[in-house]
Each structure stands twice: as structure tokens, then as C-alpha cells.
Amino acid sequence: MDNWDEIRTAYQVARLGTVSGAAEVLGVHHATVIRHIDALEKRMGVKLFQRHTRGYTATEAGQDLLRVAQATDDQFSQLSARIKGRGNEVSGELVVTTIGGLSQLLVPILAGFQAEYPDVQLRYLTSMRLFRLEYGEAHVAIRAGSPPQQPDNVVQPFLTLRSAIYGSKDYVERHGMPKIPERMAGHRFVGLDDVNSRAPWAQWMRETVPAHQVVFRSGDTRAVRQAVLSGVGMGFLGTYECTQDNNLVEVHPPLPEWESRLWLVTHMDLHRTTKVQAFLRYLKDHTEHLREEVE
Amino acid sequence: MDNWDEIRTAYQVARLGTVSGAAEVLGVHHATVIRHIDALEKRMGVKLFQRHTRGYTATEAGQDLLRVAQATDDQFSQLSARIKGRGNEVSGELVVTTIGGLSQLLVPILAGFQAEYPDVQLRYLTSMRLFRLEYGEAHVAIRAGSPPQQPDNVVQPFLTLRSAIYGSKDYVERHGMPKIPERMAGHRFVGLDDVNSRAPWAQWMRETVPAHQVVFRSGDTRAVRQAVLSGVGMGFLGTYECTQDNNLVEVHPPLPEWESRLWLVTHMDLHRTTKVQAFLRYLKDHTEHLREEVE
DNA sequence: ATTCCCTGTTGCAAATGCGCACGAAAGCCG
DNA sequence: CGGCTTTCGTGCGCATTTGCAACAGGGAAT
């Protein structure tokens, strides 16, 4: 049973009763239809049709085939409709993967997107390992650093996150405003646990801040932020999450070399789909205010 | 969605994850698989697979196709098993068509056949119009007269039914034994209603018996038999249904020209099937005694 | 780090399958 | 009853499809 096209041909013959009619429906020559039937019957070893000059009538086996193939035809029609329609509707899973620490920025936007497109099931993955777009593990990835240059990936600039050194109001009142980088003696810092961190300001910190002054380290940016807020020490925080916080004081303004550039990455094939396009548009529309600050 | 083979190819790719694996299972070249996928995706306008160097992974659309085609494959496998097996098992409908008047002879045999093959559903059709084997209306036909010579039909001699003139014991006692054909005056006959009957003795009767002596006519042979039994008159009856009946007296022995030859006719294609063969064999085995009488 | 193997991709030639044309047989209708 | 229409059947030439072989790229194992 290893030729589904012949089954399809036999199905039309069984349905219509004539080779000519089946040929017309199938858009092939009636000779082809006869050859398909002959081949199928030869391989099955059973006659599917009674041949006579007024057409073909299905035998019991042919009628059995008719029933099965009828169901198959329906199934395929529905499948086709689903698949063709799927490209134009915003529904199903939408997998977004990103580096940790952007949750505070992204989750509200994702929530808004989901509210606008209720048929979407969002999956927001922030894992250590890089999810690979090539395997279809994610629809959209948000990457940091230099622009990714994988083939088959569509890369667009997303945001440039600026970082500055912040301290809690309480800390500044107690220790005074340090002059950075000239007079930092006696000051305490909060930093990243990962000594090989690829955060853009990490190198500046390694070079400028003596290790013994970094009294709190964590890999979780939310923990870092909490530590700064608690007055443990000064630390790098994204401006987007600090400007409206009255408990934080900008100890040193953002520097260009501390900027972290974010990229929106999608797989070439998925990039064209309505679903991904809708998501990218929503993302851009709702980060407009952040983008203006940067330029 | 007008190429089921491409769906089958895509199904194997989705199932196995690689073009090479699918090609091996399908027994075609890798290149063919790729071309099928490309053609299918182009026609659908939707990517079914994410291509990467380790193989193909199905997109949502591809996974949808996988589910549907999986079911289809199962259906076709079962269909194939049924169709292939059907030829070798004695089950399903068995349609037998014959001329009227053989019921008394055939029905007991049919009953025995059905008892031996309980999976068979018998249909015994005795209609005025000829059921056509070419259209698959019947599996086996029992025809009378000269051997049918339709192409695509397999014809075998079945039985030669002998007819004789019978009268009821009561009738003979009252009217005496007539000398046939010399002295028939005053005798009454029972005959067929159809003046153009093709029964072999019909012509003899038309030529020999004056019409006014035929006092009872019917198209139903059972009615004729009942009429003879009731003493209405003498009439032609098959020897097979009279030899063991003590109420009937053979008024004139069978003549060769009164013999009715019966033929077993099957369609060429159906003749080979186990079901039909089993029926024909059973039929011959259980009419052996009748055949010996004839020869 | 390097080799090897497994993956997909592509150009070219052969082959299978297709369409066309013609023929024949049987039902239909005047 | 005879032309007409509709049906299937088949040989032949061509085109699409297939197979082959060489290529390329990435992962994995050594």
C-alpha cells in the first residue's frame, strides 16, 4: 500500500463510477487513471472494480477502499484548511526566549500582547542554555551583545539598554556621593557573581573597582537590584528600571561603553508569519518610550 | 492538497526527523524526498519543516500533518490487510441469482453452505430481470438454456434437470392413465402462463396439447406443482422434486428434448476468489446425486 | 584540534509516467 | 435499426520525475 496517489485515483473512480469522470476531477488523462487502477490491483492482488463498457463499479474491496479514502480525503481537506489558515492567524504557541533579567521589562509587555491576542499561548523561556531557533525551539529570541550572525536568522536591533551606577538613598546619605572613578575608597559595591560576565560594564568594574570592595555578588539581577535597594552597596542597574524609583540615586550617569545592545532574532521561515510579525510589531510599539531615551 | 504521495513523504520526514531516514523507508532517493517537501510547501504556502544540518524538524503545521497522516497510514494499512485477506476468506456478501422455480432445490443447499461458513451473508435473488454479473450485482448466476457466451464470464455446466408429466394419484384414479400423445382427449393439463416460455417442453406442449385442455396456467412453478397435486390436471414437473412424492404419478417419462440444462455463471474476476470457489465446490458436492441420475 | 560520518543540496542523465490519438464496444435516441 | 454519444483500452512520443554522483556543512568522537 505504498502509493497513496493511486489510492486517491481509485477513490475517485469508486466515487464517480467512471474512469473519465475521475480523470476530469483529478485533472489527468483517463489513460493515467486506468494505469493507476491496474497497478494498484496488481499489487493488491485483488480486483477493486468490475470493468464494463459503461464504467467501473466497485467490488466489495473497492467499496471498502471508497469508505476509507473518503474519510482520508475529508481529513486532508481539513488539514489543508488548517495549515493554510494557520499562517494568517495569530494563535497557537508563541515561544519567546531571552537572557535572564529582562523579565521586569518584558513580562508586562507579553501580558499585554496575550490580552490582545487571546488565542496565543505564550511560553517565556529564560534558560541558561541558548534555545536554538533552527530547531524550532523558539519563535523569537532576544539576544544581547554583538549582532548575532547565524545564517537563516533575521536579526533586528531592539533596544539599547543603558546602565548606570545606583545607590540607595539611604546608602548615599550614610556614605556620601562618591567621585567615580577618582575617590572610591571606603565605598562598597554590589556586582555579578560570574567573573567572566559578558555584561558590558563588567570589564570596567573589574578594572576599576578593587575586588575587596565588592561585598555582594549574585548571578540574579533581581537579587543585585534588591541588594542595592537594601543599601548593601552601589551597583550597576538598568536605567529603565530605576528612573521612577525614588529610593535609588544615580551615583554615576550612564556611559556609552556600559550600554547593552539587544537584538530581536527570528528564524527566517517563522519571521514571515503573521503571528511573529504581530508580536514583533507589538513589542516595538510598546517599547517606543525606551527607544527614544536612547537616541 | 492534490498529491497524496507528497503528504506521505512529508509524513515520513516528520515522523523520522531526517530526509535520509524517510528516503530509506520510502524506498526512494533522498533528492526525491526533498523535492516532494519543497513542492508541498510551495503549494501550501507554509513551511512544514525547519531545515537544519541535523535533519528536519516539523513546525506546528508539520506536526499537524504528522498526526493526520499517521491516522491515514494506519487506516490504509488496515484497509490493505482487509482487502488482501478478503480474497482468501469466505465472508461477506454472496449474491446468488437464478431463475425462479429452483428454490426448492437450491435453498436447502444454500442453508447448508451458510451453516458451514457462518461469516457469509447470503442473498438469493430470483427476479424476472437478469441480474448482470458485469456490474457486480451477483457473484454467481444460475442460468438455463443454451450456454451463455458473454465475454468475461466463466460458464460451467451445472445440472441437467429432467422434466416429466405428472398427475396426482387422485387424478389418475379418476381419469385413468392417458396414452401420450396418442389418446389425450378428455384430459386436463396445467401449464405455464407465459405463452412464449422458453421452458424446453413448452413447445412440445403448445404443439401437442390443445389450448382448451390447459385449464390452469400460472407463471409460478410452485403454483403449478400445487395445482397438479390438487388434481386440477397433469403438468410438467422436475423429476428431482417428484420422485419421492407418493401423491404424484409419472404419467409420461422424461424425454431428452424436455431436459433443461443449467449453467453456473460467474464473472471472471470473482470466479477466482476463495469465496466463490468455496460456494461452487459446495454446490457441486451437494448435487452429486442429481448429476448421476442424468448421465 | 582534527578527522570522520551523517546530514542536506544541486546539476545532469536516464527512466518512468503521462498525454495524445486512435480504436472498439455498448447504450441511447430518433 | 442505424447513427451518435459515451465509455474504456492501447501504442507511441515526449516531459516530468527520479536516481545518481559529487558537493558542502556541521556535529561528534577520538
Side-chain angles (χ1 to χ4, degrees):
Chain A
M1 198 59 107
D2 49 353
N3 194 326
W4 287 10
D5 268 341
E6 288 175 357
I7 298 178
R8 176 165 174 265
T9 302
Y11 157 59
Q12 290 294 348
V13 173
R15 192 170 70 89
L16 300 169
T18 69
V19 171
S20 310
E24 186 169 356
V25 169
L26 294 168
V28 296
H29 202 269
H30 69 268
T32 305
V33 174
I34 293 179
R35 284 190 274 253
H36 279 186
I37 303 297
D38 287 347
L40 188 57
E41 287 184 341
K42 186 174 182 181
R43 242 184 305 115
M44 300 288 291
V46 176
K47 281 274 175 291
L48 296 172
F49 298 94
Q50 300 281 5
R51 293 147 170 76
H52 45 88
T53 53
R54 295 297 297 164
Y56 279 32
T57 51
T59 63
E60 296 171 45
Q63 289 171 14
D64 197 350
L65 183 145
L66 173 63
R67 281 188 294 273
V68 173
Q70 174 75 62
T72 298
D73 190 47
D74 293 344
Q75 289 292 310
F76 284 177
S77 295
Q78 294 176 22
L79 173 68
S80 176
R82 280 201 304 275
I83 288 181
K84 284 178 181 168
R86 200 193 310 268
N88 299 322
E89 64 187 17
V90 182
S91 64
E93 264 196 351
L94 177 65
V95 184
V96 181
T97 178
T98 177
I99 52 175
L102 289 178
S103 305
Q104 193 178 9
L105 173 65
L106 285 178
V107 169
I109 302 177
L110 293 178
F113 178 76
Q114 205 287 324
E116 189 153 324
Y117 299 96
D119 291 335
V120 168
Q121 293 128 33
L122 276 171
R123 289 181 61 200
Y124 177 68
L125 304 177
T126 62
S127 166
M128 283 302 104
R129 79 181 182 89
L130 231 56
F131 286 97
R132 309 201 49 167
L133 297 176
E134 306 91 83
Y135 288 71
E137 288 181 322
H139 294 86
V140 177
I142 299 173
R143 301 274 160 81
S146 51
Q149 293 196 2
Q150 296 239 11
D152 296 345
N153 281 357
V154 178
V155 179
Q156 324 178 266
F158 178 39
L159 288 177
T160 301
L161 293 184
R162 294 184 298 171
S163 291
I165 301 177
Y166 289 90
S168 70
K169 189 180 289 181
D170 171 56
Y171 177 92
V172 173
E173 283 173 0
R174 285 193 279 117
H175 296 83
M177 199 72 152
K179 288 280 184 288
I180 294 178
E182 299 84 7
R183 285 173 34 203
M184 298 196 299
H187 279 286
R188 292 181 293 200
F189 281 83
V190 175
L192 287 181
D193 189 44
D194 185 2
V195 292
N196 297 319
S197 168
R198 289 165 44 236
W201 41 263
Q203 185 172 2
W204 179 94
M205 192 156 166
R206 280 193 294 272
E207 294 169 350
T208 315
V209 181
H212 68 273
Q213 285 182 259
V214 182
V215 297
F216 185 96
R217 291 185 184 274
S218 172
D220 184 353
T221 57
R222 300 184 64 175
V224 170
R225 175 183 166 83
Q226 201 55 48
V228 173
L229 273 172
S230 304
V232 176
M234 300 175 298
F236 283 92
L237 299 175
T239 57
Y240 70 92
E241 55 180 349
C242 300
T243 48
Q244 294 173 6
D245 194 327
N246 291 325
N247 291 321
L248 287 174
V249 177
E250 188 180 277
V251 178
H252 189 287
L255 287 180
E257 60 258 39
W258 296 345
E259 287 177 355
S260 173
R261 294 199 296 174
L262 298 183
W263 307 93
L264 286 174
V265 188
T266 58
H267 193 279
M268 205 180 57
D269 294 333
L270 273 53
H271 184 259
R272 298 193 201 97
T273 63
T274 312
K275 179 162 68 179
V276 169
Q277 281 298 315
F279 179 69
L280 295 179
R281 171 125 308 277
Y282 190 93
L283 212 54
K284 288 174 185 170
D285 289 347
H286 291 78
T287 54
E288 202 58 48
H289 56 289
L290 295 175
R291 195 166 299 109
E292 283 174 3
E293 289 181 12
V294 172
E295 296 301 332
Chain B
M1 200 56 108
D2 50 353
N3 194 326
W4 287 11
D5 269 341
E6 288 176 358
I7 298 177
R8 176 165 175 262
T9 302
Y11 156 60
Q12 291 295 347
V13 173
R15 191 170 71 90
L16 300 170
T18 68
V19 170
S20 309
E24 186 168 357
V25 169
L26 294 168
V28 296
H29 203 268
H30 319 215
T32 305
V33 174
I34 294 178
R35 286 190 268 253
H36 278 185
I37 303 296
D38 288 346
L40 189 56
E41 287 184 340
K42 187 174 181 182
R43 244 185 304 113
M44 301 287 293
V46 176
K47 284 273 175 290
L48 296 172
F49 298 95
Q50 300 281 2
R51 293 147 169 76
H52 47 88
T53 53
R54 294 300 293 165
Y56 278 34
T57 51
T59 63
E60 297 170 44
Q63 289 171 15
D64 198 350
L65 182 144
L66 173 63
R67 280 188 295 273
V68 173
Q70 175 75 64
T72 298
D73 190 48
D74 292 344
Q75 289 293 310
F76 284 177
S77 296
Q78 294 175 24
L79 173 68
S80 176
R82 278 201 305 275
I83 287 181
K84 284 177 181 167
R86 201 194 306 269
N88 301 322
E89 65 189 14
V90 182
S91 64
E93 264 196 351
L94 178 65
V95 183
V96 181
T97 179
T98 177
I99 52 176
L102 290 176
S103 306
Q104 191 179 7
L105 173 66
L106 285 177
V107 170
I109 301 177
L110 292 177
F113 179 76
Q114 205 286 327
E116 188 154 325
Y117 299 97
D119 291 335
V120 169
Q121 292 127 34
L122 276 171
R123 290 180 60 200
Y124 177 68
L125 304 178
T126 61
S127 168
M128 282 304 104
R129 78 180 183 89
L130 230 56
F131 286 98
R132 308 200 50 165
L133 297 176
E134 307 91 82
Y135 287 72
E137 287 180 322
H139 294 85
V140 177
I142 298 174
R143 302 274 161 83
S146 52
Q149 293 196 4
Q150 295 238 12
D152 297 345
N153 280 356
V154 178
V155 179
Q156 316 176 277
F158 178 40
L159 288 177
T160 299
L161 293 184
R162 294 184 294 171
S163 292
I165 301 176
Y166 289 90
S168 69
K169 189 180 290 181
D170 171 57
Y171 176 91
V172 173
E173 286 173 358
R174 284 194 281 115
H175 296 83
M177 200 73 151
K179 287 278 181 290
I180 292 178
E182 299 82 7
R183 286 175 30 203
M184 300 194 300
H187 280 285
R188 293 180 294 199
F189 281 83
V190 174
L192 288 179
D193 188 43
D194 185 2
V195 290
N196 298 319
S197 169
R198 286 163 49 234
W201 42 264
Q203 188 172 358
W204 180 93
M205 192 157 166
R206 280 191 294 271
E207 295 170 351
T208 314
V209 180
H212 69 271
Q213 285 182 258
V214 183
V215 297
F216 187 97
R217 291 184 184 273
S218 173
D220 184 354
T221 56
R222 300 184 65 177
V224 169
R225 176 182 167 82
Q226 200 58 46
V228 172
L229 275 171
S230 304
V232 176
M234 299 176 296
F236 282 91
L237 298 175
T239 56
Y240 68 92
E241 57 180 347
C242 300
T243 49
Q244 295 173 5
D245 194 327
N246 290 325
N247 293 318
L248 287 174
V249 177
E250 188 180 277
V251 178
H252 189 285
L255 287 180
E257 61 258 38
W258 295 346
E259 286 177 357
S260 174
R261 294 200 296 175
L262 298 183
W263 306 93
L264 286 173
V265 188
T266 57
H267 193 280
M268 206 179 58
D269 295 332
L270 273 53
H271 185 260
R272 299 194 201 96
T273 62
T274 311
K275 180 163 65 180
V276 169
Q277 281 298 316
F279 178 70
L280 293 180
R281 172 128 308 280
Y282 189 93
L283 213 52
K284 288 174 185 169
D285 289 348
H286 290 77
T287 53
E288 201 61 47
H289 57 291
L290 295 176
R291 195 167 299 110
E292 284 174 4
E293 290 180 12
V294 172
E295 298 303 332

